[in-house]
Amino acid sequence: MIRVDPNSSIPPFEQVRTGYAVQINDGTLPVGAKLPTVRKLAEDLGIAPNTVAKAYRELEEAGLIETRGRAGTFVSAVGDESRERARQAAADYAALTRKLGLDRDEAKAIVDAALG
């Protein structure tokens, strides 16, 4: 179940997006699992439907979920590839930092700053 902390400095759409992304990537939500409708989730969380819709759009853009028209929104098989995509991006980043002459500590500091 996704939760939204109204007192958090993290915007509600990001809390929803991150919550689902984590559950998809750790297998809690398996490929093919159906997500609640935008309206239902918004009602359950006490947030605006547009907030949920924005989170769903970003998850869909990332390939983690797919909308099948009236059938609903489901965890995508492409989501299984997200860890591999992240590993490849990390390998590319490591190669770039070596090419630029950055040392390991500086490269890690840049990643830490980007992750916030």
Side-chain angles (χ1 to χ4, degrees), residues 45-58:
L45 297 176
I47 59 178
N50 284 343
T51 300
V52 174
K54 182 176 181 178
Y56 276 23
R57 271 192 309 274
E58 290 197 8

Side-chain angles (χ1 to χ4, degrees), residues 34-93:
K34 186 173 182 177
L35 300 184
T37 65
V38 167
R39 287 183 190 194
K40 175 68 173 143
L41 185 59
E43 180 182 311
D44 290 348
L45 297 176
I47 59 178
N50 284 343
T51 300
V52 174
K54 182 176 181 178
Y56 276 23
R57 271 192 309 274
E58 290 197 8
L59 289 164
E60 194 157 18
E61 287 171 9
L64 295 174
I65 64 172
E66 59 186 356
T67 301
R68 300 178 192 159
R70 290 185 162 275
T73 303
F74 299 84
V75 174
S76 171
V78 176
D80 286 346
E81 300 171 13
S82 61
R83 275 198 167 75
E84 182 53 37
R85 289 172 48 201
R87 282 187 197 98
Q88 185 57 54
D92 293 346
Y93 176 72

